[in-house]
């Protein structure tokens, strides 16, 4: 960071050199014109003119050297800063809670991360090559006019103040329009990503026309926002053009007034007109540059807002890593609400080390919420969850999740190779270890038949694999992780009967010496659990073994009777 600050300072120095030639050129031209118009040709006059030309060329070269130097340095430092901003943006997003990602379209978040880096790129270029050189040129010109033409200096200074105040007011007026434009662009990106991600579903329901129309409507809203923001920018440009025209007329009138009294030479006309042209260009850029910088700030504001928002779930100060020796879990008076609805109501439960338990109950009873709270995707309202006596809210989130393997109901894979997806839980695993885990999960068979084997890319979200294949890859990943606590959330739901029987054997091996929590709707998959916990209306309504619960009047026996007709013993 210190090195980059030094390079940015060096860019500032090199850019400071460049405007000197811009300002010196009209001065040199004045000297040339006055010499030519007032003196007869002679060797001495020619020598003086050549001296002016040499100095002019030297200053020009120095100016180009400054521009090129700043360009070469920017080529090194700017992409690195942009890359760092993208990485920081991603890091900031990944620190958000599970609930944050549930509410945000992925495409919108991608645009916000890239907009942060793009905004810096625009700020960098606009400041170093437009705004700052323009300010330096204006200062140098006013300084020269104060020395030679004080009245013109006052006129130019007033004009610069009018331009500056006007652009500030225009930019302040334009800022809400820029922010709305940025919001609509993010919303459009989110919708586009959602449609493309669900392209097969769109085709299955023959909704291509409807989705394209929906996107067109969203784009129309974005276009209107862009139109308003652009128009307000044009209003600023029009103001600059009008005031510049009046300045040009005023300066020329001042020069004519001085010429009438013999105080202004032809060279002075060249000088003043040259300064007016330079100022017109530079201050025009100045106004544009300021507005462009405000646009970039507006584009970055969404991502900056996310980064500045306090984290929903964060590690406490000096959080320690979780140490799991036995694997006991305790839920103590746990309550939790979601979207204003009470999901868990003071639930208490103890899980012994290496005990295998299952949660059953109707949909919406709170089974999956218990798992999310154990993984600390959300913080509790009241109560406490401990693992081996350690409050999970007081340990680091990374160490908590490293101690738990999760096989979700609908596993999502990266658009990477099968080897990378399986070894994601253990990046240092050898190919032999990956194959061994795959064999235990019974996915080695279908992987071996693929042309690329373990190097086969699975497509976005694993779309190239069937549901059962994705599930087995997820199980292989859990086997390779070998964490002391295992959570199976409908882990065999996507498997056919033959695959399920094979996977059940693999899961028995996987569950050995582990504390296991299973969420299941298919009761046939949990008959062998040490204990089955029945969850109803956010509370534990019953518990026991399969045999004990089927003998008792209650929800579990009702569920069993509904499903039993389709089960094999």
């Amino acid at each position: 960071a210190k090195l980059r600050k030094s390079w940015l300072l060096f860019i500032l120095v090199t850019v400071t050199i460049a405007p000197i030639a811009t300002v010196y050129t009209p001065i040199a031209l004045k000297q040339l014109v006055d010499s030519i118009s007032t003196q007869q040709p002679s060797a001495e006059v020619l020598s003086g003119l050549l001296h002016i030309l040499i100095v002019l060329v030297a200053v020009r070269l120095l100016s180009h050297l400054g521009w090129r130097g700043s360009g070469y340095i920017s080529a090194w430092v700017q992409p690195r800063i942009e890359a760092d901003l993208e990485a920081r943006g991603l890091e900031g997003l990944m620190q958000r809670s599970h609930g944050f990602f549930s509410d945000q379209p992925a495409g919108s978040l991608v645009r916000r991360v890239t907009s942060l880096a793009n905004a810096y790129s625009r700020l960098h270029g606009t400041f170093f090559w437009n705004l700052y050189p323009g300010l330096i040129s204006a200062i140098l010109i006013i300084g020269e006019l104060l020395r030679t033409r004080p009245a013109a200096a006052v006129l130019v200074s007033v004009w610069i103040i009018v331009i500056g105040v006007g652009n500030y007011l225009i930019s302040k007026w334009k800022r809400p329009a820029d922010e709305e434009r940025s919001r609509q662009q993010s919303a459009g990106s989110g919708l586009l990503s959602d449609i493309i991600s669900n392209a097969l579903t769109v085709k299955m329901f023959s909704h291509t026309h409807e989705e394209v129309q929906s996107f067109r409507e969203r784009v129309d809203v974005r276009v209107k926002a862009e139109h308003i923001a652009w128009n307000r920018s044009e209003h600023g440009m029009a103001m600059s053009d009008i005031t510049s025209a009046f300045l040009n007329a005023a300066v020329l009138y001042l020069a004519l007034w001085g010429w009438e009294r013999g105080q202004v030479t032809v060279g002075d006309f060249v000088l003043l007109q040259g300064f007016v042209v330079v100022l017109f260009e530079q201050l025009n850029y100045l106004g544009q540059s300021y507005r462009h910088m405000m646009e970039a700030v507006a584009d970055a504001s969404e991502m900056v807002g996310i980064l500045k928002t306090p984290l929903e779930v964060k590690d406490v100060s000096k959080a320690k890593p979780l140490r799991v020796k036995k694997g006991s879990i305790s839920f103590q008076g746990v309550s939790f609400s979601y979207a204003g609805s009470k999901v868990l109501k003071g639930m208490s439960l103890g899980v012994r080390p290496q005990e295998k338990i299952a949660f059953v109950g109707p949909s919406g009873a709170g089974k999956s919420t218990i798992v999310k709270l154990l993984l600390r995707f959300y913080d509790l309202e009241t109560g406490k969850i401990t693992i081996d006596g350690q409050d999970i809210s007081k340990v680091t989130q990374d160490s908590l999740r490293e101690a738990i393997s999760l096989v979700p109901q609908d596993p999502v894979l990266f658009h990477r190779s099968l080897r990378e997806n399986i070894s994601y839980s253990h990046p240092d695993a050898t190919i032999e270890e990956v194959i061994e885990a795959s064999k235990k999960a019974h996915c080695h068979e279908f992987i071996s038949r693929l042309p690329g084997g373990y190097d086969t890319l699975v497509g976005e979200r694993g779309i190239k694999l069937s549901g059962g294949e994705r599930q087995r890859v997820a199980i292989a990943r859990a086997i390779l992780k070998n964490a002391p606590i295992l959570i199976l959330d409908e882990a065999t739901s996507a498997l056919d009967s033959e695959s399920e029987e094979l996977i059940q054997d693999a899961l028995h091996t996987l569950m050995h010496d582990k504390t296991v929590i299973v969420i299941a709707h298919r009761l046939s998959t949990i008959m062998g659990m040490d204990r089955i916990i029945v969850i109803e209306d956010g509370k534990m309504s019953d518990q026991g073994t399969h045999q004990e619960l089927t003998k008792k009047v209650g929800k579990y026996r009702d569920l069993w009777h509904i499903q039993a007709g389709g089960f094999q013993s």
Side-chain angles (χ1 to χ4, degrees), residues 331-335 346-347 380-385 391 393:
F331 298 84
Q332 304 169 25
V334 172
S335 294
M347 191 195 82
L380 307 178
E381 287 180 3
T382 60
K384 183 167 67 172
I385 301 175
D391 188 338
S393 67

Side-chain angles (χ1 to χ4, degrees), residues 19 24 119 122 137 176 213-214 223 230 248 294 298 300 324 396 452 458 518:
Y24 181 75
R122 292 163 64 188
S137 296
Q213 184 60 34
S214 174
V223 168
W230 197 329
N248 198 6
M294 293 302 100
V324 181
T396 62
V458 302
V518 178

